[in-house]
Amino acid sequence: MRLNTTVGNVNIKIDTKRLDRNVKEAQKLLNLAVRTDCEPLVPLLNGQLRRSANFPEGVYGGVLEYNTPYAHYQYVGKICGPNIPKIDETTGEVIGWYSPKGKEKHPTGKMMSHYSEDGTGPKWFEKAKERHGDKWLRLVREEVGKG
């Protein structure tokens, strides 16, 4: 953006092209850092949820989205059903859950108490922000301030 104005006897000319470019690059670097820092906190579920992470507005936009049918429920920690137990034929123990094909899932009102991997769970962005927020701020400040 360029600004060219006169106030009294003072001519003011401002060109923000460098700053605009730096802000755009800082947004990209922030997006990539957020995705990277969230990844180990996202429930695995065969990796589909982690692999679904994308930038719907492009890498220079400000949105990171996880695009699976169950992403929202994993993020907020709510169980959806119907859920039918998978039983180990040898031990008779419940080893997992499934929903019949063609059955639409709905929230059950219950919260998840267990995730597929230790250290993963709901609200992974908030957890990553708590752990890495200072680093994200430094990254943005350094990039925006570049000459």
Side-chain angles (χ1 to χ4, degrees), residues 84-101:
I84 299 171
K86 291 181 185 178
I87 308 295
D88 184 296
E89 293 177 8
T90 309
T91 65
E93 293 180 21
V94 175
I95 56 172
W97 302 88
Y98 73 96
S99 292
K101 288 191 187 265

Side-chain angles (χ1 to χ4, degrees), residues 58-142:
V59 75
Y60 293 102
V63 177
L64 172 61
E65 176 179 86
Y66 292 84
N67 192 11
T68 66
Y70 53 85
H72 171 74
Y73 299 104
Q74 288 284 324
Y75 191 78
V76 297
K78 292 186 179 177
I79 297 175
C80 290
N83 294 306
I84 299 171
K86 291 181 185 178
I87 308 295
D88 184 296
E89 293 177 8
T90 309
T91 65
E93 293 180 21
V94 175
I95 56 172
W97 302 88
Y98 73 96
S99 292
K101 288 191 187 265
K103 290 274 189 179
E104 188 173 333
K105 293 184 99 169
H106 300 282
T108 64
K110 297 178 182 175
M111 298 302 287
M112 292 180 191
S113 61
H114 174 74
Y115 280 79
S116 58
E117 270 186 76
D118 288 340
T120 67
K123 306 286 185 183
W124 53 81
F125 171 76
E126 283 80 358
K127 291 174 185 171
K129 182 179 173 184
E130 187 176 305
R131 293 178 188 175
H132 304 284
D134 290 340
K135 177 184 81 171
W136 297 346
L137 283 172
R138 279 193 309 275
L139 180 139
V140 169
R141 285 180 182 138
E142 288 172 9

Side-chain angles (χ1 to χ4, degrees), residues 27-39:
Q27 182 67 63
K28 178 182 115 179
L29 293 175
L30 176 61
N31 289 345
L32 296 173
V34 167
R35 183 178 63 187
T36 298
D37 292 337
C38 283
E39 186 170 329

